[in-house]
Amino acid sequence: VIEPNTIEQFLGSEDLLDRINDILHHSRETPFVGDDANLILTFLVYLSCKSVQPLNLEMIGQSSSGKTYLALTARNGFPKSMVMVLAGASKEALKYDYDEVSDDGEFIVNVANRCIVILEKDESFAFIRRMKPLMSGDDKELVWKTPIKNEMSGEIETRDFIIRGQPSFITLTTRNPSEAEQITRQLLMTPDTTPEKVEAVVSNALLARARPEDLTIHEDLHLLQAAMLHVKKRPVRNIFAPLMAGFFPSKS
């Protein structure tokens, strides 16, 4: 058990992002190499689920470009209760994975303060399209009316399956984005695949196999996870928002 004072001290660190970056790089048996900016960006998209306006991120890259490794390394900074990782998802995904049943018989899936990661977006387009209202913030509740059989009476009844809350989303794909609706809802990112990065990754992987005893998980990993669970829902103020208008075309 980590004391609240320890968590508060950690969150109050002046070099907090640097500490998080170091912890994430050493959050697995084979340390993550390089790509600091993309790793922290991904981490912050995860964390944005604790804000009133969660962010969405799409990672684009060829197979074996490191998308999954990057996404799951950033995920290590959070407790499992905050992150839902789906290898792929049909349009009915989440519907029956409910957290509670209301007094009115509604089946409720709570996704607030969580991040949903879809490792195979190319196989999950129907699910992504169904999640669009949540991704854009247009709505914070999706309702399906579904006929199910009453086990007591044997009759068919209509029940509501509700996905409630606004999570952050991270999707991984090998294709350049083509659907305009998705482009306007997500940040776009490509992992670093420079020759220098690839050489460092290969050398690091071989070193991990040769001398695994030299590598250890960062001692503050559990502290980071506890701190992220401790963070409360926050409003976000972007003081640069008026200046950002100049970066966007006025016709679109």
Side-chain angles (χ1 to χ4, degrees), residues 4-230:
N5 287 343
T6 303
I7 293 175
E8 292 292 350
Q9 291 174 2
F10 174 77
L11 291 174
S13 303
E14 293 185 358
D15 60 344
L16 180 59
L17 280 182
D18 290 330
R19 291 186 65 180
I20 291 174
N21 185 47
D22 183 46
I23 294 170
L24 292 178
H25 272 76
H26 297 88
S27 64
R28 53 199 325 159
E29 294 179 356
T30 302
F32 186 83
V33 176
D35 228 346
D36 294 30
N38 283 336
L39 182 61
I40 286 295
L41 170 63
T42 306
F43 174 87
L44 292 175
V45 171
Y46 277 102
L47 182 57
S48 73
C49 72
K50 288 291 189 81
S51 75
V52 295
Q53 292 180 312
L55 300 172
N56 307 309
L57 172 69
E58 180 155 302
M59 292 189 190
I60 308 165
Q62 297 178 348
S63 179
S64 300
S65 62
K67 302 185 300 296
T68 301
Y69 201 70
L70 173 59
L72 296 184
T73 298
R75 183 276 312 268
N76 288 341
F78 298 89
K80 292 183 178 179
S81 61
M82 282 184 63
V83 181
M84 182 182 300
V85 179
L86 306 174
S90 69
K91 67 178 182 179
E92 303 298 327
L94 304 187
K95 182 176 173 182
Y96 299 109
D97 190 20
Y98 53 87
D99 298 304
E100 59 181 298
V101 180
S102 73
D103 294 337
D104 296 326
E106 302 166 325
F107 296 86
I108 300 173
V109 182
N110 294 306
V111 294
N113 301 322
R114 303 176 76 180
C115 181
I116 298 177
V117 183
I118 304 168
L119 300 179
E120 296 290 345
K121 180 193 174 184
D122 302 341
E123 301 175 5
S124 310
F125 281 112
F127 175 75
I128 296 293
R129 283 194 291 269
R130 182 154 281 188
M131 293 293 108
K132 283 193 301 184
L134 297 185
M135 298 180 76
S136 63
D138 294 335
D139 205 343
K140 296 184 179 180
E141 187 172 282
L142 299 180
V143 180
W144 284 270
K145 290 192 174 294
T146 304
I148 62 174
K149 185 176 182 179
N150 187 309
E151 295 182 358
M152 299 294 292
S153 65
E155 298 180 353
I156 301 299
E157 301 177 348
T158 299
R159 295 290 182 88
D160 287 347
F161 285 80
I162 302 174
I163 297 180
R164 181 171 293 165
Q166 187 180 359
S168 54
F169 286 89
I170 295 178
T171 57
L172 281 61
T173 180
T174 58
R175 307 177 185 180
N176 287 324
S178 57
E179 60 278 21
E181 290 182 342
Q182 290 306 118
I183 295 174
T184 61
R185 289 174 167 84
Q186 296 176 286
L187 300 169
L188 304 179
M189 190 200 78
T190 302
D192 180 9
T193 55
T194 59
E196 294 78 13
K197 167 69 182 301
V198 174
E199 180 181 0
V201 169
V202 172
S203 298
N204 188 56
L206 295 176
L207 179 62
R209 295 186 181 187
R211 298 191 59 82
E213 66 276 7
D214 292 344
L215 306 175
T216 57
I217 302 297
H218 200 289
E219 61 181 0
D220 288 336
L221 180 59
H222 292 302
L223 173 58
L224 173 58
Q225 294 171 348
M228 295 305 101
L229 191 62
H230 180 78

